[in-house]
């Protein structure tokens, strides 16, 4: 069970995370590509850390929206989405080459990630970009009841998928995240989180109705943009070995 | 004698050149990479044309300055320049891959081009970027009396150079461009320009003192951002065969 | 019946319209404020022309999206919309002050305009911005069957409205625009357009069913971003006197 | 002796300073205007705090360079500088109006500030902007041996000046700052800083040669972008009463 974490999200003088503290404990860094965060030099520093700690690099492309940190949906055409993904994955690969590593997967960021999950045309635009860039890069997306459908769709483009689960979010019996804002949506306390990590690593999760359900995930998404998150990552790493 | 031309310089709804009219007559397209011009979709359309017409693609990286079209010098550190070149060359390569072509050389744009010619630290930052990305990409720069020095410096990084000359600019006896603003700096009339093209193709140029001097150039820079420029390109192409 | 036209939509080296050709024939210039188009110097040049030709200036604020020219809807919060309108109206007023004129109304641009018409929270955010800036600036929006409702809502904020109609778009019997893409949505030929101008000036319009319906409008929107549009403006002006 | 501090320098999700902790202890907030930092909503929140704590608002315009935080000199024309200052001062005034306050002075930021001090054409462009916007807004700049000359130049435009000194920087006997990088350029320790504050408040400063020299300053620049800086501000405020 690999740990993936969003990084490279500083911008110029603005710092986002203590990346040197996080990097040694994760397996996969989803690195910002300049559209929601990450200027070229910021990204390069993140990649140097990733190489130092043997962490796999993934591209984390987003809508062009620095003010909104890529979290505001933008009504882009499929052609626009496809081109912006190609541009960002390529830009990151350019910096990767300079430090002797490479992009190994693609995980869209923020609103682009969520739009991809609810709008097939966005998902297809992203898959088309990956297929025409390098079909051996899997697309990382959320483990949901639609995982099989997503896998079939990706296969149409010759692209594989990686399913990610969340250590600190409560799941519904249907295998979806309890929406933020609803009671119990976010797990608090290390005990709860580590318990869920153990369960997911074993292929199941205790849902909001208190019962266990199967949950197939390739990787666990963790958050390194605050000290509490970093401490949790360290404990999850210890738990998973 | 190859013709190179700056392209991909539209941005969103703003159009710059009639690229379909220019592309059939040139050999090398210096394609904007998003920092001074060129959004991802604009760039992709330019690359599709380049592939259609068998035109070689070069990266045309710039300072991050859309309002100034990359023509305003910015006091960046060598690390910033190196990272921004890597980012832009990679981004363009990402889009190239999708249309089945590749970046084959690097020609900095605007103020970055001029800063490179007058400040060795900028030139070194660019060479360092190219060397760590793909040393087989030559750097295109202006044919000047410093060409030998530039070649030696590039060789330190294992990088080759391409020297470009200008069809419509008058040269001094020393082999520099007569500064814009000075009398006779720009050649007017097709006759004058075609005469200079023939001379440069043969390895020399009639300078501002009326005498011939040798001028070694690998490529000729032409301008496609106005109808007059496009018509001139067509004639130059006819001249060169 | 005043003519209003979107202007100030160049950006740096990219030109949009021949503003000097348009300005003498219009009454109200909706001037871009930098978020979808219009850098500070471009805007200043437009304002100088407006002052020269005695044209009223309106603010034309937009979502922050240069690549998309403000035409892509962005999921912003009401607080974000309110703040971005205040920022843009203020910026334009800053430039207006320098040339001795002032912002006299607000007309949102592109996707912000359309979002305002279909989402009351966006309309309220814009009205709240105007009310807290200068309630004597009317909001310009499309004359639709909801005009009465819009007027009441604006009055809640102490803000007036200006209703605009379109010279070159066919109306439905309900008083809406025939959607672009549907047959007959756009009027072609000067004769048709001038006929519709005369009708609207007299308070009615011949709808898609061939019958006349009342249409109350304060101003007519015309387009100056292409030579055909400019020629049409000149004829409309002649028609209206 | 008033305390002025750069604020409004967050951007979207990126936070810069604990503004609520700083605001009660300062007199004048130099508020970012969106070009080097400060999106519209960020700025509005800063202005609300300023109003709450009765702090005077100044415009802090900059070169358009988010990645470089406005600290990289850009080769702009005088017309470009004039227009960008008008745009930014106006934008800030737009947001000020909404919260019931106003811009009361202008202090250029970063590279624009330093370019203004060493290049008269930049200073004149800024003064021209202020004069055509509202000549009753003084320009804040560094107290240097050129203060008299700056005052005369500003007077040509009908603009006043405010001279600022630095609590934590060592001065030369000539009344300039000891350049960063040179030994002793920055004062460390509260004792040293408070001693210098007392001296400046009384009209003099102990220079790098250990002797006292007169230093006329209207305001003291303090830094709130780190916890140490905030603690120092609190002490300086206590010292000054």
């Amino acid at each position: 069970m690999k740990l993936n974490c969003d990084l490279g999200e500083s911008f110029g003088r603005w710092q986002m995370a203590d990346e040197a503290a996080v990097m040694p404990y994760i397996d996969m860094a989803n690195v910002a590509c300049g559209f929601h965060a990450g200027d070229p030099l910021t990204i390069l520093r993140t990649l140097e850390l990733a190489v130092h700690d043997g962490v796999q690099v993934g591209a984390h492309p987003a809508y062009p929206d620095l003010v909104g940190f890529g979290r505001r949906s933008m009504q882009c055409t499929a052609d626009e989405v496809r081109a912006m993904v190609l541009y960002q994955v390529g830009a990151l690969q350019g910096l990767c080459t300079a430090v002797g590593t490479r992009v190994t997967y693609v995980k869209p960021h923020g609103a682009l990630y969520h739009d991809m999950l609810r709008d097939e045309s966005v998902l297809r635009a992203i898959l088309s970009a990956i297929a025409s860039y390098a079909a051996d890069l899997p697309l990382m997306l959320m483990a949901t009841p639609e995982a099989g459908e997503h896998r079939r769709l990706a296969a149409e483009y010759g692209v594989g998928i990686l399913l990610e689960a969340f250590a600190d979010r409560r799941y519904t019996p249907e295998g979806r995240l309890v929406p933020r804002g609803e009671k119990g949506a976010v797990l608090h306390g290390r005990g709860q989180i580590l318990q869920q990590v153990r369960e997911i690593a074993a292929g199941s999760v205790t849902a909001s109705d208190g019962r266990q359900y199967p949950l197939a995930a390739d990787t666990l998404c963790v958050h390194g943009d605050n000290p509490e998150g970093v401490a949790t990552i360290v404990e999850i790493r210890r738990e998973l070995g």
Side-chain angles (χ1 to χ4, degrees), chain A:
Chain A
M1 176 63 52
K2 290 183 168 178
L3 300 186
N4 81 77
C5 184
D6 296 353
L7 290 174
E9 295 190 329
S10 295
F11 191 75
R13 212 190 139 201
W14 293 289
Q15 297 302 304
M16 185 56 82
D18 182 355
E19 305 208 327
V22 172
M23 203 67 88
Y25 299 101
I26 64 170
D27 304 286
M28 309 170 93
N30 318 313
V31 181
C33 302
F35 275 39
H36 78 285
D39 63 281
L41 195 51
T42 283
I43 297 172
L44 197 61
R45 298 285 178 250
T46 298
L47 294 176
E48 286 166 350
L49 281 175
V51 169
H52 178 270
D53 289 326
V55 169
Q56 222 181 311
V57 172
H60 202 40
Y63 288 124
D65 179 20
L66 288 170
V67 171
F69 202 68
R71 290 177 170 172
R72 304 187 292 199
S73 185
M74 288 181 73
Q75 219 163 6
C76 298
T77 66
D79 280 350
E80 287 171 337
V81 169
R82 182 171 175 271
M84 76 176 65
V85 169
L86 284 165
Y87 182 95
Q88 293 180 72
V89 175
L92 186 63
Q93 180 57 53
L95 292 158
C96 278
T97 302
V99 297
T101 187
R102 53 184 286 269
V103 174
T104 58
Y105 62 95
V106 177
K107 174 182 171 181
H109 167 81
L112 184 59
Y113 182 87
H114 292 292
D115 288 351
M116 163 186 81
L117 291 173
R118 63 174 182 71
D119 180 342
E120 188 182 308
S121 72
V122 175
L123 177 54
R124 283 186 179 277
I126 293 168
L127 287 167
S128 163
I130 298 175
S132 62
Y133 181 74
D136 63 339
L137 300 184
L139 174 67
M140 188 184 290
L141 39 62
M142 201 188 293
T144 65
E146 291 77 32
E149 196 183 315
H150 291 152
R151 194 178 302 277
R152 277 189 299 277
L153 212 77
E156 278 186 40
Y157 294 82
V159 173
I161 66 172
L162 289 170
L163 296 172
E164 69 169 349
F166 295 85
D168 63 345
R169 294 291 301 276
R170 180 71 71 204
Y171 281 82
T172 69
E174 293 74 30
R176 301 187 191 284
L177 300 181
V178 173
R180 280 183 192 280
E182 288 192 17
K183 192 162 162 287
V186 178
L187 304 192
H188 294 291
R190 300 268 166 78
Q192 278 200 316
I193 291 172
L194 291 176
Q195 171 63 21
Q196 179 147 317
V197 168
R198 277 188 294 270
E199 291 181 10
I200 294 175
S204 72
V205 71
T206 301
S208 52
D209 64 355
R211 300 169 64 176
Q212 288 253 336
Y213 295 88
L215 182 71
D218 303 298
T219 172
L220 213 54
C221 183
V222 292
H223 306 290
D225 58 355
N226 62 78
E228 174 71 15
V230 176
T232 302
I233 290 173
V234 175
E235 298 230 12
I236 293 177
R237 168 54 62 207
R238 194 169 297 150
E239 182 65 37
L240 292 175

